[in-house]
Amino acid sequence: MNAFTSLMDGFGTALTPVNLLWAAVGVLLGTAIGVLPGIGPAMAVALLLPVTYGLEPTGAFIMFAGIYYGAMFGGSTTSILLNTPGESAAVVAAMEGHPMAKAGRGSQALAAAAIGHFAGGMIGTVLLVALAPTVADLAVGIGAPDYFALMVLAFIAVTSVLGSSRVRGVASLLIGLTIGLVGLDQMTGQQRLTFGSLQLADGIDVVIVAVGLFAIGEALWVAAHLRRAGAEAIPVGRPWLGRADVRRTWKSWLRGPLIGFPFGAIPAGGAEIPTFLSYVTEKRLSRHKEEWGKGAIEGVAGPESAASASAAGALVSMLTLGLPTTAVAAVMLAAFQQYGIQPGPLLFEREPDLVWGLIASLFVGMVLLLALNLPLAPLWAKLLRIPRPYLYAGILFFAALGAYAVGGEPLDLVILLVIGLIGLGMRRYGLPALPAVIGVILGPNAEQQLRRALQISDGSVRGLVDTPFAVTVYGLIVLIMTWPLWKKALARARRRGIDVEA
């Protein structure tokens, strides 16, 4: 009841005209920036951080929250329409959303994503209000072996369900893990795959990798085949979800937050792992398996709902522990410190107006996001009617702009082109790009958690399985890897049973 009363006071703060204006500005800016390939929500908040120096803290953080959710939806927009994720959490949306767009169902994919963001954000924020202390306690108790087990689960899951074969999925993952090795070893300080370049010492940013593999790789692939296949405009389709679409997606919208929220709240979680796991879950549960890879709407609805809920989960650790679990949370933590505010257990007591106003603004931002972007779905989908030579020239320009904005170094553009050529080669030989991106995102963290776990256990491999949580996760991994064998065995048993009855 105390939390409910505080939330009502927060709505009193969030619904003032000035704060409503900042929420609307944040959602619009976030969506517009998220549409640009390579400029995700973390960069958007970082770029706007100096602009908010003159703002009152509550209004500034309400605008940041709007940018966060708006940029996540904007990133999924380009991911669906152009196969060009605006940020890493939108990578999965391209897997089913882009085939839907090419089939003339871009508006439906965008509507499923918008409603998924709304449902995931609402459910995630309710869980934030109700479960923040409990989830924070669980997050504190998770150690290095558990983190490593979760990352191995993500590796196995993503290579098991994507591509024409597991071998190709593993090959793509190895490419990503190799790219993730570039830079300085975090524990020894030794250079790895830097070729003596100081600019590579910090590694290759995941934004450059994602934009290179998806945007540049896609643009080069289209350019290579443009003369063979005419540049016909893709039909936009009707701008609403039919009853059949709603029947297929409503369960996905509700399942997504159950996966996204817990992963958002734990360190090394973020929106990447839950979106991949949501994709895997929806594919396993789908009754329309023949549509996967060709435009299954559940593959858009579930992951987008999980991504939005993970954003609310990320705020749990950031507000209650001062522990950022995502890049955006880290930037927002810096913003708190800029105002002389230290997130942690005492934040709810010392700054109740700010915290509960921020949480209430998440509900307001979700409504604004849905109200603004559902009517705009057909308008965004008309991007596909632009002739492809002009469209992909624009993609190349914004992709290069986003990559250059990451570090401001000309070498980043060279790296972008090289990774784009790798993406073209992967497309040519049927290697899915998603495991490579996962390898870049999670590879360095997985290595660090593995080494920490081994150090704690004095080099004993048993240290990787000395917690019930890790054992459970490894059990899931074994189940995923052996499921095809079990499936074949069950099919044989059924056939034998039928033969015996006959």
Side-chain angles (χ1 to χ4, degrees):
M1 185 61 70
N2 187 34
F4 179 78
T5 304
S6 300
L7 182 62
M8 291 300 102
D9 293 339
F11 274 112
T13 302
L15 293 176
T16 59
V18 173
N19 288 334
L20 271 176
L21 174 65
W22 290 129
V25 169
V27 167
L28 284 172
L29 280 177
T31 304
I33 291 172
V35 166
L36 301 179
I39 304 181
M43 190 178 298
V45 175
L47 290 173
L48 292 171
L49 194 57
V51 180
T52 61
Y53 283 149
L55 288 182
E56 184 251 340
T58 303
F61 286 107
I62 286 174
M63 186 173 75
F64 285 155
I67 291 170
Y68 191 2
Y69 282 109
M72 290 184 74
F73 177 76
S76 64
T77 299
T78 50
S79 190
I80 289 168
L81 297 181
L82 308 175
N83 200 27
T84 306
E87 47 116 12
S88 57
V91 168
V92 175
M95 305 306 298
E96 301 300 328
H98 190 59
M100 285 184 67
K102 291 197 292 186
R105 286 170 50 79
S107 294
Q108 284 72 40
L110 289 176
I115 297 173
H117 273 286
F118 176 78
M122 283 292 185
I123 296 173
T125 307
V126 169
L127 292 173
L128 166 63
V129 174
L131 302 176
T134 303
V135 175
D137 290 341
L138 291 174
V140 172
I142 292 178
D146 306 319
Y147 294 146
F148 180 71
L150 285 173
M151 292 173 190
V152 173
L153 173 61
F155 293 152
I156 297 299
V158 77
T159 54
S160 297
V161 301
L162 299 175
S164 55
S165 73
R166 290 193 178 195
V167 174
R168 287 189 171 93
V170 172
S172 176
L173 177 65
L174 291 175
I175 290 173
L177 292 174
T178 303
I179 295 173
L181 286 175
V182 176
L184 295 179
D185 186 325
Q186 294 184 7
M187 291 193 173
T188 65
Q190 292 182 342
Q191 294 190 11
R192 301 188 298 192
L193 302 179
T194 61
F195 304 101
S197 172
L198 292 176
Q199 292 174 328
L200 289 176
D202 291 333
I204 300 175
D205 194 279
V206 66
V207 169
I208 296 176
V209 176
V211 171
L213 290 179
F214 284 93
I216 306 298
E218 176 76 9
L220 293 177
W221 179 262
V222 170
H225 295 80
L226 200 55
R227 291 185 180 179
R228 300 182 203 172
E232 298 178 0
I234 299 174
V236 172
R238 53 188 175 82
W240 61 81
L241 291 176
R243 291 183 179 178
D245 291 328
V246 174
R247 281 197 299 269
R248 289 179 58 175
T249 51
W250 71 271
K251 291 181 181 178
S252 303
W253 289 328
L254 297 179
R255 275 192 294 261
L258 301 180
I259 299 173
F261 183 82
F263 276 92
I266 63 174
E272 291 84 10
I273 296 178
T275 52
F276 301 137
L277 293 182
S278 176
Y279 182 90
V280 174
T281 302
E282 296 305 325
K283 185 173 183 179
R284 297 288 187 197
L285 298 176
S286 175
R287 297 181 180 177
H288 307 273
K289 296 187 185 298
E290 72 282 355
E291 294 185 17
W292 287 80
K294 302 175 184 177
I297 195 169
E298 304 98 313
V300 177
E304 290 301 293
S305 179
S308 188
S310 74
L315 292 177
V316 173
S317 296
M318 200 272 286
L319 292 175
T320 60
L321 298 174
L323 182 65
T325 62
T326 65
V328 177
V331 176
M332 290 185 72
L333 180 62
F336 270 104
Q337 294 171 347
Q338 166 191 304
Y339 285 102
I341 301 169
Q342 182 57 48
L346 298 178
L347 181 64
F348 284 78
E349 296 179 12
R350 293 176 177 172
E351 300 287 346
D353 292 341
L354 186 150
V355 174
W356 289 106
L358 174 62
I359 293 173
S361 75
L362 300 180
F363 290 102
V364 176
M366 285 293 103
V367 175
L368 289 173
L369 186 65
L370 188 67
L372 290 171
N373 284 299
L374 265 184
L376 288 176
L379 180 64
W380 288 122
K382 287 182 180 178
L383 286 172
L384 295 172
R385 302 187 68 86
I386 301 173
R388 284 197 290 176
Y390 302 110
L391 180 62
Y392 283 95
I395 290 174
L396 287 173
F397 172 76
F398 284 113
L401 181 65
Y404 186 75
V406 170
E409 296 288 343
L411 180 63
D412 290 337
L413 298 178
V414 177
I415 295 171
L416 180 71
L417 178 59
V418 171
I419 293 178
L421 292 172
I422 293 174
L424 175 63
M426 292 172 65
R427 180 82 180 262
R428 167 65 179 81
Y429 292 103
L431 272 65
L434 189 55
V437 178
I438 267 284
V440 176
I441 294 171
L442 298 181
N445 287 333
E447 179 193 13
Q448 191 173 11
Q449 299 299 342
L450 171 63
R451 293 165 77 172
R452 282 179 180 171
L454 291 175
Q455 284 179 342
I456 293 170
S457 64
D458 198 21
S460 174
V461 180
R462 291 182 181 178
L464 300 178
V465 290
D466 63 352
T467 66
F469 186 88
V471 172
T472 303
V473 173
Y474 285 122
L476 287 174
I477 292 171
V478 172
L479 182 62
I480 291 173
M481 294 182 69
T482 58
W483 175 247
L485 299 176
W486 286 105
K487 197 173 181 181
K488 289 180 182 178
L490 289 172
R492 288 174 187 168
R494 287 175 184 172
R495 283 197 297 269
R496 288 173 184 171
I498 293 172
D499 293 340
V500 169
E501 291 177 2

